[in-house]
Short mmCIF file of all heavy atoms in Angstrom, two decimals:
data_model
loop_
_atom_site.label_atom_id
_atom_site.label_comp_id
_atom_site.label_asym_id
_atom_site.label_seq_id
_atom_site.Cartn_x
_atom_site.Cartn_y
_atom_site.Cartn_z
N TYR A 694 -7.36 -0.76 -17.09
CA TYR A 694 -7.08 -2.14 -17.46
C TYR A 694 -8.33 -2.79 -18.05
O TYR A 694 -9.44 -2.56 -17.57
CB TYR A 694 -6.64 -2.93 -16.22
CG TYR A 694 -6.45 -4.42 -16.42
CD1 TYR A 694 -5.19 -4.95 -16.68
CD2 TYR A 694 -7.52 -5.28 -16.32
CE1 TYR A 694 -5.02 -6.31 -16.86
CE2 TYR A 694 -7.36 -6.65 -16.50
CZ TYR A 694 -6.11 -7.16 -16.77
OH TYR A 694 -5.94 -8.51 -16.94
N ILE A 695 -8.16 -3.62 -19.08
CA ILE A 695 -9.27 -4.37 -19.65
C ILE A 695 -8.73 -5.68 -20.18
O ILE A 695 -7.59 -5.74 -20.68
CB ILE A 695 -9.98 -3.58 -20.78
CG1 ILE A 695 -11.23 -4.30 -21.26
CG2 ILE A 695 -9.03 -3.30 -21.93
CD1 ILE A 695 -12.10 -3.47 -22.19
N ASN A 696 -9.50 -6.77 -20.04
CA ASN A 696 -9.10 -8.03 -20.63
C ASN A 696 -10.26 -8.65 -21.39
O ASN A 696 -11.40 -8.18 -21.32
CB ASN A 696 -8.52 -9.00 -19.58
CG ASN A 696 -9.54 -9.46 -18.56
OD1 ASN A 696 -10.75 -9.49 -18.80
ND2 ASN A 696 -9.06 -9.83 -17.38
N SER A 697 -9.98 -9.73 -22.10
CA SER A 697 -10.98 -10.34 -22.97
C SER A 697 -11.97 -11.21 -22.21
O SER A 697 -12.89 -11.78 -22.80
CB SER A 697 -10.28 -11.18 -24.06
OG SER A 697 -9.48 -12.18 -23.46
N GLU A 698 -11.79 -11.34 -20.90
CA GLU A 698 -12.73 -12.12 -20.09
C GLU A 698 -13.92 -11.28 -19.63
O GLU A 698 -14.85 -11.80 -19.02
CB GLU A 698 -12.04 -12.67 -18.85
CG GLU A 698 -10.90 -13.63 -19.16
CD GLU A 698 -10.14 -14.01 -17.91
OE1 GLU A 698 -9.75 -13.09 -17.16
OE2 GLU A 698 -9.94 -15.21 -17.68
N GLY A 699 -13.86 -9.97 -19.88
CA GLY A 699 -14.94 -9.09 -19.45
C GLY A 699 -14.63 -8.31 -18.20
O GLY A 699 -15.48 -7.60 -17.67
N SER A 700 -13.40 -8.43 -17.68
CA SER A 700 -13.00 -7.68 -16.48
C SER A 700 -12.37 -6.35 -16.87
O SER A 700 -11.72 -6.23 -17.91
CB SER A 700 -12.00 -8.48 -15.65
OG SER A 700 -12.61 -9.59 -15.04
N SER A 701 -12.57 -5.37 -16.02
CA SER A 701 -11.94 -4.08 -16.22
C SER A 701 -11.83 -3.37 -14.88
O SER A 701 -12.60 -3.64 -13.95
CB SER A 701 -12.73 -3.21 -17.20
OG SER A 701 -14.01 -2.91 -16.66
N PHE A 702 -10.84 -2.51 -14.78
CA PHE A 702 -10.75 -1.66 -13.59
C PHE A 702 -10.05 -0.36 -13.94
O PHE A 702 -9.28 -0.28 -14.91
CB PHE A 702 -10.05 -2.36 -12.42
CG PHE A 702 -8.58 -2.64 -12.60
CD1 PHE A 702 -7.63 -1.64 -12.38
CD2 PHE A 702 -8.14 -3.91 -12.93
CE1 PHE A 702 -6.28 -1.89 -12.52
CE2 PHE A 702 -6.78 -4.17 -13.06
CZ PHE A 702 -5.85 -3.17 -12.86
N VAL A 703 -10.37 0.65 -13.15
CA VAL A 703 -9.70 1.95 -13.25
C VAL A 703 -9.09 2.23 -11.89
O VAL A 703 -9.75 2.09 -10.86
CB VAL A 703 -10.68 3.07 -13.63
CG1 VAL A 703 -9.97 4.42 -13.60
CG2 VAL A 703 -11.26 2.80 -15.00
N ARG A 704 -7.82 2.60 -11.88
CA ARG A 704 -7.14 2.87 -10.62
C ARG A 704 -6.38 4.20 -10.74
O ARG A 704 -5.49 4.34 -11.58
CB ARG A 704 -6.17 1.74 -10.27
CG ARG A 704 -5.43 1.94 -8.95
CD ARG A 704 -4.34 0.89 -8.77
NE ARG A 704 -4.91 -0.46 -8.66
CZ ARG A 704 -4.32 -1.55 -9.11
NH1 ARG A 704 -3.17 -1.46 -9.78
NH2 ARG A 704 -4.88 -2.73 -8.94
N SER A 705 -6.77 5.16 -9.91
CA SER A 705 -6.06 6.44 -9.86
C SER A 705 -5.58 6.66 -8.43
O SER A 705 -6.40 6.83 -7.52
CB SER A 705 -6.98 7.59 -10.29
OG SER A 705 -7.33 7.46 -11.64
N LEU A 706 -4.28 6.61 -8.24
CA LEU A 706 -3.71 6.69 -6.89
C LEU A 706 -2.60 7.73 -6.83
O LEU A 706 -1.54 7.55 -7.44
CB LEU A 706 -3.16 5.32 -6.47
CG LEU A 706 -4.17 4.17 -6.34
CD1 LEU A 706 -3.45 2.88 -5.99
CD2 LEU A 706 -5.22 4.50 -5.30
N PRO A 707 -2.81 8.81 -6.10
CA PRO A 707 -1.72 9.76 -5.87
C PRO A 707 -0.80 9.25 -4.76
O PRO A 707 -1.22 8.44 -3.92
CB PRO A 707 -2.46 11.02 -5.43
CG PRO A 707 -3.70 10.51 -4.77
CD PRO A 707 -4.08 9.26 -5.49
N LEU A 708 0.43 9.69 -4.76
CA LEU A 708 1.38 9.27 -3.73
C LEU A 708 2.40 10.37 -3.48
O LEU A 708 3.01 10.89 -4.42
CB LEU A 708 2.10 7.98 -4.14
CG LEU A 708 3.15 7.45 -3.16
CD1 LEU A 708 2.50 7.05 -1.84
CD2 LEU A 708 3.91 6.28 -3.75
N ILE A 709 2.57 10.71 -2.21
CA ILE A 709 3.62 11.65 -1.80
C ILE A 709 4.68 10.87 -1.04
O ILE A 709 4.35 10.09 -0.13
CB ILE A 709 3.07 12.76 -0.88
CG1 ILE A 709 1.84 13.42 -1.49
CG2 ILE A 709 4.14 13.80 -0.58
CD1 ILE A 709 1.15 14.37 -0.54
N THR A 710 5.92 11.06 -1.40
CA THR A 710 7.03 10.40 -0.71
C THR A 710 8.00 11.46 -0.21
O THR A 710 8.43 12.33 -0.98
CB THR A 710 7.78 9.43 -1.64
OG1 THR A 710 6.86 8.47 -2.15
CG2 THR A 710 8.88 8.71 -0.89
N PHE A 711 8.32 11.39 1.08
CA PHE A 711 9.36 12.24 1.65
C PHE A 711 10.50 11.33 2.09
O PHE A 711 10.28 10.36 2.84
CB PHE A 711 8.85 13.02 2.85
CG PHE A 711 9.93 13.74 3.62
CD1 PHE A 711 10.40 14.96 3.18
CD2 PHE A 711 10.49 13.18 4.76
CE1 PHE A 711 11.42 15.62 3.87
CE2 PHE A 711 11.49 13.82 5.46
CZ PHE A 711 11.96 15.05 5.01
N ALA A 712 11.69 11.60 1.60
CA ALA A 712 12.85 10.78 1.95
C ALA A 712 14.02 11.66 2.32
O ALA A 712 14.31 12.66 1.64
CB ALA A 712 13.24 9.86 0.78
N ALA A 713 14.67 11.32 3.42
CA ALA A 713 15.87 12.03 3.86
C ALA A 713 16.94 11.01 4.20
O ALA A 713 16.67 10.03 4.90
CB ALA A 713 15.55 12.89 5.08
N SER A 714 18.12 11.21 3.68
CA SER A 714 19.23 10.29 3.95
C SER A 714 20.45 11.08 4.37
O SER A 714 20.63 12.25 4.00
CB SER A 714 19.54 9.44 2.71
OG SER A 714 19.96 10.27 1.63
N ALA A 715 21.30 10.45 5.15
CA ALA A 715 22.53 11.09 5.61
C ALA A 715 23.62 10.03 5.71
O ALA A 715 23.33 8.84 5.91
CB ALA A 715 22.31 11.76 6.97
N ALA A 716 24.85 10.47 5.56
CA ALA A 716 25.97 9.54 5.60
C ALA A 716 27.16 10.18 6.29
O ALA A 716 27.32 11.41 6.30
CB ALA A 716 26.36 9.10 4.19
N SER A 717 27.99 9.34 6.88
CA SER A 717 29.19 9.81 7.57
C SER A 717 30.23 8.70 7.49
O SER A 717 30.08 7.73 6.74
CB SER A 717 28.87 10.17 9.03
OG SER A 717 30.00 10.73 9.65
N GLN A 718 31.29 8.86 8.30
CA GLN A 718 32.35 7.86 8.31
C GLN A 718 32.96 7.82 9.70
O GLN A 718 33.25 8.87 10.30
CB GLN A 718 33.42 8.21 7.27
CG GLN A 718 34.43 7.11 7.02
CD GLN A 718 35.37 7.46 5.87
OE1 GLN A 718 35.66 8.64 5.64
NE2 GLN A 718 35.85 6.46 5.16
N ALA A 719 33.12 6.63 10.23
CA ALA A 719 33.72 6.47 11.55
C ALA A 719 35.22 6.73 11.48
O ALA A 719 35.80 6.79 10.39
CB ALA A 719 33.43 5.08 12.09
N SER A 720 35.84 6.88 12.65
CA SER A 720 37.27 7.19 12.68
C SER A 720 38.13 6.09 12.07
O SER A 720 39.24 6.35 11.59
CB SER A 720 37.71 7.43 14.13
OG SER A 720 37.40 6.31 14.94
N ASP A 721 37.61 4.84 12.08
CA ASP A 721 38.37 3.74 11.49
C ASP A 721 38.07 3.55 10.01
O ASP A 721 38.55 2.60 9.39
CB ASP A 721 38.08 2.43 12.25
CG ASP A 721 36.62 2.03 12.17
OD1 ASP A 721 35.83 2.83 11.63
OD2 ASP A 721 36.28 0.94 12.64
N GLY A 722 37.27 4.45 9.43
CA GLY A 722 36.97 4.39 8.00
C GLY A 722 35.67 3.69 7.65
O GLY A 722 35.28 3.67 6.48
N MET A 723 34.98 3.12 8.64
CA MET A 723 33.74 2.42 8.34
C MET A 723 32.67 3.40 7.86
O MET A 723 32.41 4.39 8.53
CB MET A 723 33.23 1.68 9.58
CG MET A 723 31.89 0.96 9.35
SD MET A 723 31.24 0.19 10.86
CE MET A 723 32.45 -1.12 11.09
N PRO A 724 32.04 3.16 6.70
CA PRO A 724 30.97 4.05 6.23
C PRO A 724 29.72 3.88 7.08
O PRO A 724 29.35 2.77 7.47
CB PRO A 724 30.73 3.59 4.79
CG PRO A 724 31.22 2.17 4.75
CD PRO A 724 32.34 2.09 5.74
N LEU A 725 29.05 4.99 7.37
CA LEU A 725 27.83 5.01 8.17
C LEU A 725 26.76 5.75 7.40
O LEU A 725 27.01 6.83 6.87
CB LEU A 725 28.07 5.71 9.51
CG LEU A 725 29.22 5.18 10.39
CD1 LEU A 725 29.46 6.12 11.57
CD2 LEU A 725 28.89 3.78 10.89
N GLU A 726 25.57 5.18 7.31
CA GLU A 726 24.48 5.85 6.62
C GLU A 726 23.14 5.42 7.21
O GLU A 726 23.01 4.34 7.78
CB GLU A 726 24.52 5.56 5.12
CG GLU A 726 24.51 4.10 4.74
CD GLU A 726 24.65 3.92 3.24
OE1 GLU A 726 23.93 4.61 2.50
OE2 GLU A 726 25.48 3.09 2.82
N ASN A 727 22.15 6.28 7.06
CA ASN A 727 20.82 6.00 7.55
C ASN A 727 19.82 6.88 6.79
O ASN A 727 20.22 7.84 6.13
CB ASN A 727 20.72 6.25 9.06
CG ASN A 727 19.58 5.48 9.70
OD1 ASN A 727 18.77 4.84 9.01
ND2 ASN A 727 19.48 5.54 11.01
N PHE A 728 18.53 6.55 6.90
CA PHE A 728 17.52 7.33 6.19
C PHE A 728 16.20 7.23 6.94
O PHE A 728 15.98 6.35 7.77
CB PHE A 728 17.34 6.82 4.76
CG PHE A 728 16.55 5.55 4.66
CD1 PHE A 728 15.18 5.56 4.38
CD2 PHE A 728 17.16 4.32 4.86
CE1 PHE A 728 14.46 4.39 4.30
CE2 PHE A 728 16.44 3.14 4.78
CZ PHE A 728 15.08 3.17 4.51
#
């Protein structure tokens, strides 16, 4: 990043994301989900 005011920065950020989701349905038809 650079601007005309004289400021600048460099940002290098790695990121690992682990996501698990599951879904089901109750006997009355209500959807159920969580993660």
Side-chain angles (χ1 to χ4, degrees):
Y694 174 96
I695 186 170
N696 66 25
S697 58
E698 298 173 310
S700 290
S701 64
F702 68 81
V703 175
R704 181 188 296 146
S705 294
L706 296 177
L708 179 64
I709 309 172
T710 303
F711 171 82
S714 62
S717 185
Q718 191 174 31
S720 57
D721 62 354
M723 178 184 292
L725 305 171
E726 56 184 312
N727 202 353
F728 76 96

